[in-house]
């Protein structure tokens, strides 16, 4: 089943290309900044375009998976509806067409005749992505395709994506805001048990070339199935263990834990974490990015006390964390449990609705 995970890596990179194109190609970037102008029509146009970027990413993932693995595209679930109403009142269903020209014509109907932007967007949507991973290509793990479902968050941290801040400084590697907080999240789960099986987190704006101002991304993946646990950070972790051992010992002597939290987290949570983590509590934007900080080892735990996170926000990171020996649990359930029940914490599941789930990763 590594072929499915490898294809998810490819479609995540194609999605990242779309996200970068919308910021780096002039015809598309002008649509993103329309919301900064005064006219109400422009604000609606920008809102439509932001949603269109999300929908295109989601549809690219669906269509590519369906083409390679017939039937799987129908099991891709996400946040966005692919129906639009343009200024003429036309209802348009956005789906990838068989040719770049046909996709451009469809997009122009959504973008009220803006062919320059529509053609630029269609071009990047139809571009092939050549991505290989020797570890995945040599992996032999069989997972029945019929048990798989996929949660997608096409562009997580949309506000940071539109705002586009590129000069935010990190705090011990954690960015509180900025384009680095934007992620594309693809999580695969077992339709029968709800367990997360495979995850891909693509960070389209991981680093910027200060000469060309072009962005490059970084992709992370993990697989956890039937006792098989493998992830993309294994080589990096084994290489860095000896280098960071002394540094970690120094940190543990003062603050044994570090945490990443929402920028709008409750003061009571901040205070409680400060008692345990001292100054190693890092606010950051984006549910996907905060989860990624734990995956990267920049923080030990991500705590979110509100009930506004959804399946598409956590499934990808959950699968990677399971492959690394971690997980994501329902904070509310954990707090209500008796200490006598031990450390078998209630992991989030993805085939049934969570009622007011709060996350602890």
């Amino acid at each position: 089943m590594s072929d499915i995970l490898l294809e998810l890596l490819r479609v995540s990179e194609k999605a990242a290309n779309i996200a970068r194109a919308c910021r780096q190609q002039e015809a598309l970037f002008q649509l993103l900044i329309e919301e900064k102008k005064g006219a109400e029509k422009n604000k609606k146009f920008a809102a439509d375009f932001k949603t269109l970027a999300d929908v295109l990413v989601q549809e690219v993932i669906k269509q590519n998976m369906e083409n390679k693995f017939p039937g799987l595209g129908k099991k891709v679930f996400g946040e966005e509806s692919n129906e639009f109403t343009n200024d003429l009142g036309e209802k348009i269903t956005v789906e990838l067409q068989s040719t770049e020209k046909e996709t451009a014509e469809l997009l122009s109907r959504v973008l009220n005749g803006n062919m320059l932007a529509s053609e630029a967007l269609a071009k990047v949507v139809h571009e092939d992505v050549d991505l290989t991973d020797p570890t995945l290509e040599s992996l032999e793990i069989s997972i029945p395709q019929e048990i798989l479902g996929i949660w997608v968050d096409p562009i997580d941290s949309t506000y940071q994506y539109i705002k586009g801040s590129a000069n935010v400084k990190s705090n011990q590697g954690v960015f509180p805001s900025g384009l680095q907080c934007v992620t594309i999240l693809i999580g695969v789960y077992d339709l029968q048990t709800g367990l997360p099986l495979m995850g891909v987190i693509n960070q389209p704006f991981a680093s910027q070339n200060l000469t060309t101002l072009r962005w490059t991304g970084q992709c992370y993946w993990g697989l956890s199935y039937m006792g098989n646990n493998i992830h993309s950070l294994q080589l990096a972790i084994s290489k860095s263990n000896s280098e960071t051992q002394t540094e970690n010992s120094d940190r543990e002597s003062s603050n044994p834990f570090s945490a990443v939290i929402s920028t709008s987290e409750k003061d009571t949570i901040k205070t409680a974490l400060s008692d345990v983590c001292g100054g190693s509590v890092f606010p950051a934007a984006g549910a996907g990015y905060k989860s990624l900080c734990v995956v990267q080892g920049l923080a030990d735990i991500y705590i979110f006390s509100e009930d506004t996170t959804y399946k598409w926000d956590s499934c990808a990171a959950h699968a990677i964390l399971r492959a690394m020996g971690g997980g994501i649990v329902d904070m509310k359930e954990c707090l209500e449990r008796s200490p006598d029940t031990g450390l078998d914490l209630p992991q989030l599941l993805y085939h049934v609705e969570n009622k007011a789930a709060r996350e602890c990763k």
Side-chain angles (χ1 to χ4, degrees), residues 335-347:
L335 293 175
E336 291 174 349
R337 286 164 65 90
S338 166
D340 298 334
T341 57
L343 295 176
D344 186 18
L345 300 175
Q347 298 280 319

Side-chain angles (χ1 to χ4, degrees), residues 41-336:
K41 179 181 177 182
N42 285 339
K43 289 182 180 180
K44 177 186 181 300
F45 194 40
D48 283 348
F49 181 71
K50 287 183 288 188
T51 307
L52 179 58
D54 271 332
V55 167
L56 267 180
V57 168
Q58 191 166 291
E59 291 303 307
V60 160
I61 293 169
K62 279 185 180 180
Q63 192 63 55
N64 277 260
M65 297 312 293
E66 182 64 26
N67 290 344
K68 288 289 181 75
F69 307 99
L72 194 54
K74 297 178 178 63
K75 297 178 182 178
V76 175
F77 310 105
E79 182 177 9
E80 303 296 342
S81 165
N82 64 342
E83 290 188 353
F84 284 80
T85 303
N86 65 12
D87 284 355
L88 298 176
E90 295 178 299
K91 288 192 174 181
I92 303 158
T93 299
V94 174
E95 295 177 327
L96 265 65
Q97 304 301 298
S98 56
T99 68
E100 184 179 318
K101 182 180 178 182
E102 290 172 323
T103 299
E105 289 172 352
L106 176 65
L107 294 177
S108 72
R109 293 173 59 202
V110 178
L111 295 174
N112 302 311
N114 188 331
M115 280 305 298
L116 188 62
S118 300
E119 288 171 354
L121 206 46
K123 183 176 184 343
V124 70
V125 162
H126 282 270
E127 281 179 345
D128 288 329
V129 171
D130 184 20
L131 187 150
T132 59
D133 189 305
T135 303
L136 279 181
E137 289 170 353
S138 63
L139 197 61
E140 295 184 4
I141 296 176
S142 178
I143 307 176
Q145 181 180 317
E146 60 269 18
I147 72 165
L148 302 180
I150 302 176
W151 282 112
V152 172
D153 192 339
I155 300 178
D156 187 58
S157 197
T158 306
Y159 176 75
Q160 299 300 325
Y161 178 59
I162 301 305
K163 189 177 179 183
S165 299
N167 300 317
V168 178
K169 301 297 183 186
S170 70
N171 183 0
Q172 297 184 43
V174 178
F175 288 90
S177 59
L179 281 169
Q180 290 89 346
C181 298
V182 175
T183 54
I184 293 159
L185 309 172
I186 308 175
V188 181
Y189 66 98
D190 188 323
L191 288 165
Q192 299 168 355
T193 66
L195 287 172
L197 304 177
M198 294 181 274
V200 174
I201 300 178
N202 196 307
Q203 189 183 18
F205 305 96
S207 59
Q208 186 181 36
N209 184 308
L210 297 181
T211 302
T212 65
L213 300 183
R214 307 293 285 184
W215 287 91
T216 55
Q218 184 68 43
C219 200
Y220 305 84
W221 58 264
L223 182 151
S224 179
Y225 180 71
M226 299 287 287
N228 296 287
N229 293 291
I230 185 168
H231 55 86
S232 57
L233 284 90
Q234 281 170 315
L235 289 176
I237 289 172
S238 62
K239 287 179 181 178
S240 64
N241 272 346
S242 59
E243 298 173 8
T244 58
Q245 190 171 15
T246 302
E247 179 184 332
N248 287 343
S249 297
D250 292 342
R251 191 190 77 177
E252 287 170 7
S253 64
S254 54
N255 298 311
F257 299 107
S258 59
V260 62
I261 60 171
S262 169
T263 53
S264 59
E265 188 54 85
K266 296 174 183 175
D267 288 339
T268 52
I269 299 294
K270 292 179 185 178
T271 301
L273 284 174
S274 294
D275 291 342
V276 177
C277 303
S280 298
V281 179
F282 307 109
Y289 176 68
K290 288 189 283 288
S291 301
L292 178 59
C293 287
V294 179
V295 169
Q296 292 174 307
L298 297 172
D300 297 309
I301 190 169
Y302 160 33
I303 288 184
F304 187 55
S305 64
E306 299 297 327
D307 57 359
T308 54
T309 334
Y310 301 93
K311 305 289 189 186
W312 51 76
D313 290 315
S314 59
C315 188
H318 196 169
I320 299 173
L321 288 168
R322 283 189 73 221
M324 301 176 77
I328 301 181
V329 299
D330 188 319
M331 181 178 172
K332 183 180 179 182
E333 284 190 36
C334 288
L335 293 175
E336 291 174 349

